Amino acid sequence: MQQFTKTDLNKTLYVKQALADTGRVWHQIDATGISIGRLSVIVANLLSGKGKVSNCDFWDMGDFVVVNNTEKMLITGNKLIDKEYYTYSGYKGNLKTTALKDMMRKDPSNVLRLAVKGMLAKNKLRAKRLMRLKSFVGTSTKFDYMKPKQFIVPAKAAA
């Protein structure tokens, strides 16, 4: 059994930023039958690199994520009718609302992007992390040359 001294506890291991860029992995997720909240938690954790040993909150250590079949995500409860998205131009009386039902009809991948954006940390790294999210309606073979690993969603998240 190893004894820790005070000097051991004060040492912090930092991984170089160059190693973080080379260690990025591509993940592919099929969104069929997964609720939007559970899917966005999984995607946000992969984008921010929370599951990595070398995770550091002030470096961008996350992976790339490709999400297919975003139109087949589950929307539970009355969210299709009740949930609204707001856009405001800055001018008086120019607050526009859009229901989730209309957003899903127009672009389901944007709904997932907005959900993931809300779950990422609100700092300077959020835009870079969101750029690594590739979401598609239907299936896409656009990033197959990167050989993405199929991410298996846990059964609890899919139910």
Side-chain angles (χ1 to χ4, degrees):
M1 179 132 189
Q2 184 180 4
Q3 294 288 328
F4 289 102
T5 62
K6 187 171 181 179
T7 56
D8 292 330
L9 293 176
N10 285 336
K11 291 182 181 177
T12 305
L13 174 68
Y14 287 121
V15 178
K16 302 289 184 193
Q17 183 65 31
L19 291 175
D21 292 335
T22 59
R24 295 196 196 278
V25 180
W26 285 74
H27 299 280
Q28 186 170 10
I29 301 174
D30 186 17
T32 305
I34 306 170
S35 71
I36 187 168
R38 293 186 188 276
L39 179 64
S40 55
V41 166
I42 292 167
V43 171
N45 285 338
L46 289 173
L47 289 175
S48 60
K50 292 267 179 134
K52 291 188 174 185
V53 177
S54 58
N55 182 28
C56 189
D57 57 351
F58 51 85
W59 280 336
D60 195 10
M61 305 288 282
D63 296 332
F64 288 88
V65 179
V66 179
V67 181
N68 292 324
N69 297 322
T70 55
E71 77 279 2
K72 297 178 184 176
M73 294 183 296
L74 286 181
I75 309 294
T76 58
N78 291 330
K79 287 190 204 81
L80 277 176
I81 302 161
D82 295 342
K83 183 160 180 61
E84 293 183 339
Y85 293 93
Y86 300 100
T87 55
Y88 181 58
S89 66
Y91 290 98
K92 289 182 182 179
N94 209 3
L95 178 68
K96 296 179 182 174
T97 61
T98 308
L100 178 60
K101 184 177 181 180
D102 299 330
M103 293 275 286
M104 285 295 287
R105 188 178 317 126
K106 185 177 178 184
D107 188 14
S109 60
N110 192 26
V111 173
L112 177 66
R113 181 173 297 280
L114 288 173
V116 171
K117 181 180 178 183
M119 292 191 180
L120 288 173
K122 279 75 173 173
N123 56 22
K124 294 180 180 181
L125 299 175
R126 180 163 70 167
K128 286 184 180 180
R129 289 175 176 160
L130 272 175
M131 284 175 29
R132 287 197 311 272
L133 171 63
K134 317 296 183 192
S135 56
F136 298 101
V137 175
T139 57
S140 175
T141 58
K142 187 174 180 181
F143 296 103
D144 282 352
Y145 69 96
M146 296 303 291
K147 298 181 180 77
K149 291 195 292 186
Q150 193 70 27
F151 188 86
I152 291 40
V153 177
K156 183 179 178 185

